[in-house]
Amino acid sequence: MAKFFSRLISLLLRKENRQTKTAEEQINPVQSYNLLFGRKKDFMDKQVNKTNDANCFTNRELSWLQFNERCLNEAGNPAVPLAERLTFASIFQTNLDEFFMVRVGSIMDQRDADPDYRENKTNMTSSEQISAILRRVKALEKKKAKIYEQLMGELEPKGIRIINFNKLSKQEGELLEKYFDKNIAPYLSPMVISKAQPFPFLNNKELYAMVMLKNRNDKQRIGIVPCTNSVFKRLIEIPSRPGNFMLSEELILHFASKLYRKYEVLEKTIIRVTRNADIDTEEAYDEELEYREAMEHLIKQRKRLNPVRIELSRELSKGARADLSKLLKTGLSHVIKVDTPLDLKFVFQLQDYLRNKPELFFDKRSPRQSCQLNAKEKLIPQIEKKDVLLSYPFNDMKAFIRLLHEAAEDDSVVSIKMTLYRVAERSKIIEALVEAAENGKEVDVLIELRARFDEENNIEMSRRLEYAGCNVIYGLPGLKVHSKLCLITRKINGEVSYITQIGTGNYNEKTSKLYTDLSLITANQDIGAEGAKVFGALLMGETVQDMNHLFVAPNCLQNRILEMMDDEIKKAKDGKEGYIGAKINSLTDKKIIKKLIEASKAGVKIELIVRGICCLKPGIPEQTDNITIISIVGRYLEHSRIYRFGKGEEEKIYIASADFMTRNTVRRVEIGVPIYDEGIKNRIRHIFDTGMLDDEKGKMQSREGLYVDRDLHHEGGKLNSQEIFFREAYEEAEKAGITATD
């Protein structure tokens, strides 16, 4: 019945509502019903709630593309040093590659498995999402081309140019031809596609020259030349022009006729294929193989999954595009013309040529030792006296690594337990755990072999840990273990004593200098006891069901967050001040989003710092008008997760490994820890509040879901939160007489 009236109203008012209007200007179903029939029904109340909620949602994939556009904007931002803008251009491309490999690949799989499936935010089918993604990506590629051209233009006065044959003299062209004949052509493997030579497998993200050929009998063929080669350089310097370069793939394409002397070259382009990387890691639990061996098998399979995108450096005729699409078994819409080099990794080589111009780079920043710890004294006794918070990259991770080495040598330490998701290739964390095992400590490590794109490194680390005598487990069926938890267990005078570390980021020394993260180290025995319960469950292949202090997904994180939000809603309804704050990477969990909408309607003030995907729109009257959302994209990747509930003495603050995404809140093992130390609470409030005031790298989301600049008129100009935190770390270290640790 509700559907009938909804359709009837829609038909009667279609003409009036056909004009483009913002969400708040649209006549909603209840208003329409009253206009037409002069009365309201209960079921119509449900319809308006459903419709209004829908106005508050943004599609996950399109929201992520907005985030990547903010990365691209930094490449075009004149306030960012020129050489660093090259990095942002490369980051945009790397992000987009992974987006196609993971998200587009999984949506294509979903489309093929169930064409009628609709995502739960904007009700788009998989096909509709793919079409919208491809349209947006093609527009972003045009934007990237303009920014790239601008960057190259600004590099010219600095003595750096990427040129093509049209800008070479005849003599220079002859020199490059000799270089090609001697240093490149002998190492190429050109092939012609025929019945005897099938179309080759094109490796993921590698470059190939593709030429459309015609022989003497007017038969057309396709030629393929792999251009990715470790023998010759990607950047070829013009001998007569220092600082002027040509890309090796462009040189190969230019002299393609020399590789196919029996053919006429009709068309040519560089192509790059992006392949689906969405492997089903749960299959590993069904194999007869040992789990680690099964994961290695799946990783090999991933390299051969179907293409999800084909990039071209030059336009091809409609027939050639159709042939290529057919050969690679992907739709024509997935073939994208790109007006920049198809692989931008060479920009880091350009940066090497610019190192003698420091003004083109960010000022050097290096982590400082935390002033909360005395480096000349043992760490464990200091932690027993007070909780410690490390804030990366402003503080150095070396303090935590030193704690592990100290535990490895401490006679009172019985065991060390850790969850590892991503670690550095030459991990000092692994070295410390190996040392502990070799010293006779019990070392239990859950290393997640399904950490996407880190599987091979984690497999290697698991072997190294096992060889040293550590007890290694690989995770739980159906649940990735994404928590950041370390538990040091000691025996003091016959009693158990814990030192617990819980963080927002990985145990990775490299990313700790690039990502903003928080790490709490505490001797709180209640937290330690609950950490022990978490490990006890994991070692049994289970998850904990309830906790008094910790938030632990999948069973007691989302529900606890919703309860905390309900408390703030009740305060607001009772006439008190309700407040919710969260700093997260992504917001997609529909239950949490709906609760935020409910809280906003009740009058709760909500402040969100969401770096990437955000499926909620703020500022919609009577829906989300009490919600403010900003996103910070700066020199360092915002990665810390902070939850805040309430104000003043009643405020509860947590840091956690979990974003507000369903995959984190109910499909993974995640950890959130309450902050009890008042000094640390104030520090986290400062981090959060300063982020909310960032109007240099922080963009505010509008009610239309767009990200806009803002000027909060700070004394001294725009506020950059990351720079403030580094300045504060430097000043604190200077007062304490601490120098750089690098």
Side-chain angles (χ1 to χ4, degrees):
M1 193 68 174
K3 288 183 179 179
F4 167 77
F5 278 108
S6 180
R7 288 174 183 170
L8 176 61
I9 292 166
S10 177
L11 287 169
L12 289 169
L13 294 177
R14 181 176 295 172
K15 183 176 180 180
E16 287 78 6
N17 286 337
R18 189 172 293 161
Q19 296 176 344
T20 302
K21 297 180 181 180
T22 59
E24 65 271 21
E25 290 173 331
Q26 293 285 355
I27 299 176
N28 66 47
V30 166
Q31 293 170 326
S32 305
Y33 185 84
N34 288 334
L35 286 170
L36 291 167
F37 301 106
R39 55 198 177 97
K40 186 189 299 183
K41 294 287 186 183
D42 289 342
F43 69 82
M44 292 304 296
D45 287 332
K46 295 177 182 178
Q47 285 296 105
V48 69
N49 289 336
K50 181 178 178 181
T51 303
N52 285 348
D53 279 358
N55 291 337
C56 301
F57 290 115
T58 297
N59 176 265
R60 167 185 171 146
E61 319 309 335
L62 298 180
S63 177
W64 184 90
L65 288 172
Q66 285 182 302
F67 156 68
N68 206 30
E69 183 176 11
R70 294 196 290 282
C71 294
L72 180 60
N73 289 342
E74 290 299 288
N77 184 352
V80 176
L82 179 58
E84 305 291 355
R85 288 161 61 191
L86 295 172
T87 300
F88 279 106
S90 181
I91 288 171
F92 169 83
Q93 184 188 60
T94 301
N95 286 348
L96 197 58
D97 287 345
E98 186 168 328
F99 176 71
F100 269 91
M101 292 164 65
V102 178
R103 293 304 307 164
V104 177
S106 64
I107 296 171
M108 290 173 69
D109 289 342
Q110 178 66 61
R111 176 198 62 191
D112 296 341
D114 182 5
D116 296 325
Y117 172 83
R118 293 180 179 273
E119 55 90 26
N120 68 352
K121 308 296 189 312
T122 54
N123 206 34
M124 295 172 72
T125 66
S126 300
S127 294
E128 289 169 343
Q129 290 184 81
I130 292 168
S131 296
I133 288 167
L134 292 173
R135 285 196 300 271
R136 187 69 193 124
V137 166
K138 289 171 184 176
L140 287 175
E141 285 293 351
K142 291 180 180 177
K143 182 173 185 177
K144 183 184 77 172
K146 290 181 180 178
I147 290 173
Y148 177 81
E149 185 178 355
Q150 175 187 339
L151 287 171
M152 293 301 107
E154 291 184 46
L155 282 173
E156 286 197 12
K158 313 299 180 185
I160 299 291
R161 294 177 182 84
I162 303 295
I163 62 177
N164 56 40
F165 260 83
N166 296 331
K167 297 181 180 179
L168 294 178
S169 67
K170 181 179 179 182
Q171 183 181 11
E172 289 170 334
E174 290 172 351
L175 285 173
L176 278 178
E177 184 172 4
K178 290 178 181 178
Y179 181 90
F180 173 80
D181 291 340
K182 181 180 179 181
N183 298 295
I184 294 181
Y187 305 105
L188 299 177
S189 301
M191 60 192 82
V192 176
I193 310 308
S194 66
K195 290 181 179 179
Q197 174 64 58
F199 194 82
F201 181 84
L202 304 186
N203 290 320
N204 188 41
K205 299 190 294 182
E206 291 191 4
L207 301 177
Y208 297 84
M210 175 180 167
V211 290
M212 306 303 293
L213 306 168
K214 184 173 72 172
N215 65 13
R216 295 172 183 173
N217 298 322
D218 284 340
K219 287 186 178 181
Q220 293 193 11
R221 295 280 189 267
I222 295 176
I224 295 289
V225 186
C227 297
T228 302
N229 196 312
S230 60
V231 178
F232 49 79
K233 297 178 181 179
R234 175 96 188 281
L235 278 178
I236 301 169
E237 191 166 18
I238 311 302
S240 57
R241 300 194 205 180
N244 285 244
F245 303 92
M246 180 173 287
L247 295 171
S248 59
E249 67 266 23
E250 289 296 325
L251 195 61
I252 292 168
L253 197 65
H254 182 81
F255 289 116
S257 58
K258 301 189 74 169
L259 303 172
Y260 296 99
R261 295 184 183 276
K262 295 182 180 180
Y263 294 87
E264 177 187 352
V265 175
L266 303 175
E267 300 179 75
K268 57 185 179 180
T269 185
I270 302 298
I271 66 172
R272 182 174 181 261
V273 170
T274 312
R275 293 187 175 275
N276 189 350
D278 187 36
I279 57 174
D280 184 3
T281 54
E282 297 311 314
E283 288 182 9
Y285 285 99
D286 298 328
E287 298 281 350
E288 294 180 1
L289 294 171
E290 186 261 348
Y291 181 63
R292 187 165 55 195
E293 293 176 357
M295 279 300 303
E296 289 177 312
H297 176 70
L298 285 174
I299 294 166
K300 290 177 182 177
Q301 281 186 337
R302 180 168 66 193
K303 296 176 181 179
R304 303 194 67 84
L305 293 179
N306 290 333
V308 293
R309 176 181 58 165
I310 305 168
E311 295 171 281
L312 308 177
S313 69
R314 288 165 175 73
E315 197 60 78
L316 290 177
S317 64
K318 185 176 180 180
R321 288 168 69 95
D323 288 344
L324 183 60
S325 175
K326 184 177 179 181
L327 287 165
L328 289 169
K329 299 178 182 178
T330 190
L332 270 173
S333 60
H334 291 252
V335 181
I336 300 173
K337 166 71 163 52
V338 177
D339 293 321
T340 66
L342 302 188
D343 186 338
L344 292 179
K345 292 190 186 74
F346 70 89
V347 300
F348 298 109
Q349 292 174 262
L350 295 182
Q351 288 177 338
D352 291 339
Y353 283 88
L354 298 169
R355 293 295 172 190
N356 62 340
K357 297 179 173 63
E359 71 277 9
L360 302 182
F361 294 85
F362 286 130
D363 292 338
K364 184 178 170 67
R365 295 281 184 264
S366 57
R368 289 312 194 247
Q369 178 188 311
S370 171
C371 296
Q372 301 168 77
L373 295 168
N374 187 334
K376 297 178 181 179
E377 298 178 3
K378 293 282 188 180
L379 296 183
I380 291 177
Q382 296 181 66
I383 295 164
E384 287 180 316
K385 292 178 183 177
K386 62 177 182 179
D387 291 352
V388 172
L389 183 76
L390 301 179
S391 178
Y392 308 137
F394 319 106
N395 297 141
D396 205 314
M397 185 181 265
K398 288 178 181 177
F400 174 68
I401 296 171
R402 184 181 157 208
L403 173 65
L404 290 178
H405 283 295
E406 188 176 305
E409 297 174 355
D410 191 323
D411 291 338
S412 69
V413 171
V414 177
S415 68
I416 301 174
K417 295 178 172 63
M418 283 188 80
T419 59
L420 298 180
Y421 194 75
R422 301 187 196 276
V423 295
E425 288 186 9
R426 295 180 178 85
S427 173
K428 297 185 183 300
I429 302 287
I430 298 293
E431 288 178 6
L433 294 174
V434 166
E435 179 190 1
E438 290 175 345
N439 287 349
K441 311 298 183 187
E442 178 188 336
V443 179
D444 299 316
V445 182
L446 189 150
I447 186 162
E448 182 53 76
L449 300 189
R450 295 164 294 178
R452 200 186 302 272
F453 304 125
D454 274 78
E455 300 98 339
E456 290 177 275
N457 187 51
N458 286 2
I459 286 170
E460 178 59 32
M461 293 302 169
S462 72
R463 288 197 172 101
R464 185 177 171 191
L465 289 168
E466 283 183 350
Y467 183 78
C470 302
N471 177 34
V472 178
I473 57 176
Y474 305 135
L476 306 180
L479 294 171
K480 284 186 180 180
V481 179
H482 187 251
S483 56
K484 325 299 180 189
L485 174 64
C486 175
L487 184 70
I488 298 170
T489 304
R490 305 164 69 212
K491 187 175 181 180
I492 307 293
N493 298 323
E495 298 291 329
V496 173
S497 179
Y498 299 110
I499 298 291
T500 311
Q501 181 276 335
I502 297 176
T504 68
N506 295 301
Y507 299 108
N508 187 317
E509 308 92 279
K510 181 178 179 180
T511 57
S512 74
K513 296 179 180 180
L514 303 173
Y515 296 3
T516 72
D517 270 307
L518 297 172
S519 173
L520 177 73
I521 309 174
T522 179
N524 183 300
Q525 296 306 296
D526 291 331
I527 289 175
E530 291 196 351
K533 288 181 181 179
V534 172
F535 277 112
L538 291 175
L539 289 167
M540 295 295 291
E542 301 170 354
T543 56
V544 294
Q545 296 300 313
D546 192 26
M547 293 270 120
N548 291 322
H549 298 271
L550 301 179
F551 289 173
V552 186
N555 300 316
C556 44
L557 187 143
Q558 185 197 65
N559 58 336
R560 296 282 299 280
I561 290 170
L562 295 174
E563 288 169 6
M564 294 282 190
M565 291 181 176
D566 280 331
D567 290 343
E568 298 309 303
I569 290 171
K570 185 177 186 304
K571 287 180 189 176
K573 288 181 176 179
D574 291 344
K576 301 176 182 177
E577 183 181 17
Y579 176 79
I580 297 169
K583 181 180 183 297
I584 48 180
N585 298 329
S586 300
L587 174 59
T588 68
D589 186 314
K590 194 168 183 180
K591 283 189 177 181
I592 290 178
I593 292 174
K594 290 175 77 69
K595 186 63 68 175
L596 288 169
I597 295 171
E598 181 186 344
S600 174
K601 289 178 180 178
V604 177
K605 180 181 178 181
I606 301 167
E607 294 180 321
L608 304 175
I609 303 174
V610 187
R611 183 197 76 208
I613 303 167
C614 183
C615 292
L616 174 65
K617 293 178 184 175
I620 297 176
E622 300 182 9
Q623 295 289 114
T624 60
D625 42 0
N626 286 311
I627 301 176
T628 301
I629 301 176
I630 71 163
S631 171
I632 299 172
V633 175
R635 176 175 180 176
Y636 304 99
L637 184 77
E638 292 291 333
H639 196 256
S640 56
R641 288 92 166 189
I642 299 169
Y643 312 155
R644 300 178 66 183
F645 306 98
K647 284 284 189 179
E649 294 181 358
E650 294 182 349
E651 182 177 15
K652 297 179 177 66
I653 298 178
Y654 293 77
I655 64 170
S657 61
D659 289 312
F660 286 175
M661 304 179 77
T662 308
R663 76 178 189 189
N664 297 103
T665 56
V666 296
R667 295 178 191 158
R668 289 183 174 182
V669 177
E670 305 273 9
I671 300 285
V673 61
I675 304 300
Y676 293 138
D677 181 274
E678 285 301 320
I680 293 178
K681 273 188 176 182
N682 287 332
R683 188 175 178 196
I684 292 176
R685 288 187 189 106
H686 172 64
I687 290 170
F688 188 94
D689 293 341
T690 305
M692 286 298 301
L693 293 173
D694 191 325
D695 57 356
E696 181 171 322
K697 299 302 179 182
K699 309 298 179 185
M700 186 171 70
Q701 189 185 159
S702 68
R703 67 181 62 171
E704 293 79 21
L706 303 176
Y707 287 85
V708 297
D709 291 330
R710 57 186 187 151
D711 189 347
L712 301 181
H713 305 291
H714 300 294
E715 185 178 345
K718 294 276 189 177
L719 186 151
N720 183 325
S721 58
Q722 294 178 355
E723 283 297 310
I724 284 178
F725 299 144
F726 248 124
R727 186 179 70 231
E728 291 172 348
Y730 274 46
E731 289 173 352
E732 289 173 3
E734 186 177 357
K735 286 180 183 178
I738 300 171
T739 56
T741 55
D742 281 2

mmCIF file of all heavy atoms in Angstrom, residues 17 80 139 155 184 213 244 274 286 298 331 356 359 368 394 440 488 529 660 691:
data_model
loop_
_atom_site.group_PDB
_atom_site.id
_atom_site.type_symbol
_atom_site.label_atom_id
_atom_site.label_comp_id
_atom_site.label_asym_id
_atom_site.label_seq_id
_atom_site.Cartn_x
_atom_site.Cartn_y
_atom_site.Cartn_z
ATOM 1 N N ASN A 17 8.404 18.694 -9.531
ATOM 2 C CA ASN A 17 9.706 18.379 -8.929
ATOM 3 C C ASN A 17 10.786 18.095 -9.945
ATOM 4 O O ASN A 17 11.878 17.696 -9.597
ATOM 5 C CB ASN A 17 9.578 17.165 -7.989
ATOM 6 C CG ASN A 17 8.879 17.527 -6.703
ATOM 7 O OD1 ASN A 17 8.867 18.681 -6.313
ATOM 8 N ND2 ASN A 17 8.285 16.535 -6.064
ATOM 9 N N VAL A 80 52.306 24.172 -1.695
ATOM 10 C CA VAL A 80 53.123 22.985 -1.428
ATOM 11 C C VAL A 80 54.396 23.092 -2.259
ATOM 12 O O VAL A 80 54.337 23.431 -3.444
ATOM 13 C CB VAL A 80 52.357 21.695 -1.784
ATOM 14 C CG1 VAL A 80 53.237 20.462 -1.613
ATOM 15 C CG2 VAL A 80 51.096 21.569 -0.935
ATOM 16 N N ALA A 139 36.966 12.062 -15.631
ATOM 17 C CA ALA A 139 37.042 13.501 -15.344
ATOM 18 C C ALA A 139 38.274 13.822 -14.502
ATOM 19 O O ALA A 139 38.964 14.830 -14.741
ATOM 20 C CB ALA A 139 35.772 13.949 -14.622
ATOM 21 N N LEU A 155 58.784 22.960 -13.651
ATOM 22 C CA LEU A 155 60.087 22.307 -13.535
ATOM 23 C C LEU A 155 61.097 22.849 -14.546
ATOM 24 O O LEU A 155 62.308 22.791 -14.309
ATOM 25 C CB LEU A 155 59.942 20.792 -13.730
ATOM 26 C CG LEU A 155 59.401 19.988 -12.543
ATOM 27 C CD1 LEU A 155 59.170 18.546 -12.958
ATOM 28 C CD2 LEU A 155 60.351 20.051 -11.357
ATOM 29 N N ILE A 184 68.668 -0.503 -25.970
ATOM 30 C CA ILE A 184 67.283 -0.883 -25.671
ATOM 31 C C ILE A 184 66.802 -2.024 -26.565
ATOM 32 O O ILE A 184 66.333 -3.062 -26.065
ATOM 33 C CB ILE A 184 66.345 0.339 -25.788
ATOM 34 C CG1 ILE A 184 66.696 1.362 -24.709
ATOM 35 C CG2 ILE A 184 64.885 -0.081 -25.658
ATOM 36 C CD1 ILE A 184 65.828 2.598 -24.707
ATOM 37 N N LEU A 213 49.297 -3.169 -36.896
ATOM 38 C CA LEU A 213 50.160 -3.414 -38.046
ATOM 39 C C LEU A 213 49.369 -3.876 -39.258
ATOM 40 O O LEU A 213 48.279 -4.442 -39.137
ATOM 41 C CB LEU A 213 51.195 -4.492 -37.687
ATOM 42 C CG LEU A 213 52.051 -4.234 -36.432
ATOM 43 C CD1 LEU A 213 52.796 -5.501 -36.045
ATOM 44 C CD2 LEU A 213 53.009 -3.085 -36.673
ATOM 45 N N ASN A 244 67.320 17.165 -19.394
ATOM 46 C CA ASN A 244 66.234 16.889 -20.331
ATOM 47 C C ASN A 244 66.133 15.380 -20.530
ATOM 48 O O ASN A 244 67.142 14.726 -20.858
ATOM 49 C CB ASN A 244 66.474 17.573 -21.670
ATOM 50 C CG ASN A 244 66.218 19.069 -21.608
ATOM 51 O OD1 ASN A 244 65.324 19.580 -22.250
ATOM 52 N ND2 ASN A 244 67.007 19.786 -20.816
ATOM 53 N N THR A 274 45.321 -2.726 -15.416
ATOM 54 C CA THR A 274 45.142 -2.901 -13.977
ATOM 55 C C THR A 274 44.251 -4.117 -13.765
ATOM 56 O O THR A 274 43.160 -4.192 -14.328
ATOM 57 C CB THR A 274 44.479 -1.668 -13.334
ATOM 58 O OG1 THR A 274 45.144 -0.491 -13.773
ATOM 59 C CG2 THR A 274 44.533 -1.749 -11.824
ATOM 60 N N ASP A 286 39.613 -23.573 3.405
ATOM 61 C CA ASP A 286 38.959 -24.755 2.852
ATOM 62 C C ASP A 286 39.933 -25.680 2.145
ATOM 63 O O ASP A 286 39.564 -26.757 1.707
ATOM 64 C CB ASP A 286 37.869 -24.323 1.853
ATOM 65 C CG ASP A 286 36.791 -23.511 2.550
ATOM 66 O OD1 ASP A 286 36.536 -23.788 3.725
ATOM 67 O OD2 ASP A 286 36.223 -22.609 1.917
ATOM 68 N N LEU A 298 47.065 -18.566 -3.226
ATOM 69 C CA LEU A 298 46.096 -17.533 -3.588
ATOM 70 C C LEU A 298 46.780 -16.262 -4.094
ATOM 71 O O LEU A 298 46.286 -15.605 -5.009
ATOM 72 C CB LEU A 298 45.223 -17.198 -2.374
ATOM 73 C CG LEU A 298 44.143 -18.221 -2.011
ATOM 74 C CD1 LEU A 298 43.470 -17.832 -0.713
ATOM 75 C CD2 LEU A 298 43.113 -18.346 -3.114
ATOM 76 N N GLY A 331 34.946 -4.401 -20.645
ATOM 77 C CA GLY A 331 34.086 -3.512 -21.409
ATOM 78 C C GLY A 331 34.825 -2.333 -21.997
ATOM 79 O O GLY A 331 35.855 -1.894 -21.465
ATOM 80 N N ASN A 356 69.589 19.353 -4.663
ATOM 81 C CA ASN A 356 70.445 20.508 -4.358
ATOM 82 C C ASN A 356 69.641 21.808 -4.260
ATOM 83 O O ASN A 356 70.204 22.884 -4.107
ATOM 84 C CB ASN A 356 71.540 20.663 -5.419
ATOM 85 C CG ASN A 356 70.968 20.920 -6.807
ATOM 86 O OD1 ASN A 356 69.799 20.629 -7.070
ATOM 87 N ND2 ASN A 356 71.787 21.454 -7.693
ATOM 88 N N GLU A 359 64.756 24.387 -1.262
ATOM 89 C CA GLU A 359 63.532 25.190 -1.224
ATOM 90 C C GLU A 359 62.374 24.520 -1.957
ATOM 91 O O GLU A 359 61.202 24.921 -1.793
ATOM 92 C CB GLU A 359 63.793 26.582 -1.811
ATOM 93 C CG GLU A 359 64.013 26.627 -3.319
ATOM 94 C CD GLU A 359 65.449 26.302 -3.742
ATOM 95 O OE1 GLU A 359 66.234 25.878 -2.871
ATOM 96 O OE2 GLU A 359 65.763 26.482 -4.934
ATOM 97 N N ARG A 368 60.782 13.171 17.504
ATOM 98 C CA ARG A 368 61.502 13.461 18.734
ATOM 99 C C ARG A 368 61.152 12.424 19.796
ATOM 100 O O ARG A 368 60.047 11.895 19.830
ATOM 101 C CB ARG A 368 61.142 14.858 19.259
ATOM 102 C CG ARG A 368 61.693 16.025 18.431
ATOM 103 C CD ARG A 368 63.154 15.849 18.132
ATOM 104 N NE ARG A 368 63.804 17.047 17.651
ATOM 105 C CZ ARG A 368 64.287 17.198 16.426
ATOM 106 N NH1 ARG A 368 64.150 16.232 15.536
ATOM 107 N NH2 ARG A 368 64.933 18.286 16.081
ATOM 108 N N PHE A 394 55.368 12.546 15.345
ATOM 109 C CA PHE A 394 55.974 13.615 16.132
ATOM 110 C C PHE A 394 56.876 13.040 17.228
ATOM 111 O O PHE A 394 57.890 13.634 17.579
ATOM 112 C CB PHE A 394 54.864 14.502 16.693
ATOM 113 C CG PHE A 394 53.775 14.753 15.682
ATOM 114 C CD1 PHE A 394 52.538 14.122 15.779
ATOM 115 C CD2 PHE A 394 54.006 15.564 14.585
ATOM 116 C CE1 PHE A 394 51.553 14.315 14.824
ATOM 117 C CE2 PHE A 394 53.030 15.766 13.615
ATOM 118 C CZ PHE A 394 51.797 15.133 13.739
ATOM 119 N N GLY A 440 64.469 -17.165 25.882
ATOM 120 C CA GLY A 440 63.652 -18.090 26.655
ATOM 121 C C GLY A 440 62.292 -17.572 27.059
ATOM 122 O O GLY A 440 61.567 -18.251 27.802
ATOM 123 N N ILE A 488 52.788 -7.476 27.675
ATOM 124 C CA ILE A 488 53.991 -7.978 28.353
ATOM 125 C C ILE A 488 53.560 -8.470 29.729
ATOM 126 O O ILE A 488 53.046 -7.689 30.545
ATOM 127 C CB ILE A 488 55.057 -6.872 28.479
ATOM 128 C CG1 ILE A 488 55.494 -6.403 27.084
ATOM 129 C CG2 ILE A 488 56.263 -7.378 29.270
ATOM 130 C CD1 ILE A 488 56.364 -5.153 27.104
ATOM 131 N N ALA A 529 44.536 -7.232 32.199
ATOM 132 C CA ALA A 529 43.790 -8.476 32.378
ATOM 133 C C ALA A 529 42.831 -8.705 31.215
ATOM 134 O O ALA A 529 42.662 -9.844 30.751
ATOM 135 C CB ALA A 529 43.029 -8.440 33.702
ATOM 136 N N PHE A 660 34.946 3.631 11.617
ATOM 137 C CA PHE A 660 33.505 3.384 11.675
ATOM 138 C C PHE A 660 33.060 2.778 10.344
ATOM 139 O O PHE A 660 32.278 3.354 9.593
ATOM 140 C CB PHE A 660 32.750 4.682 11.961
ATOM 141 C CG PHE A 660 32.875 5.165 13.379
ATOM 142 C CD1 PHE A 660 32.334 6.394 13.762
ATOM 143 C CD2 PHE A 660 33.520 4.415 14.343
ATOM 144 C CE1 PHE A 660 32.447 6.852 15.067
ATOM 145 C CE2 PHE A 660 33.644 4.862 15.656
ATOM 146 C CZ PHE A 660 33.101 6.088 16.013
ATOM 147 N N GLY A 691 42.943 19.698 15.179
ATOM 148 C CA GLY A 691 42.548 19.189 13.864
ATOM 149 C C GLY A 691 41.276 19.843 13.363
ATOM 150 O O GLY A 691 41.166 20.210 12.186
#
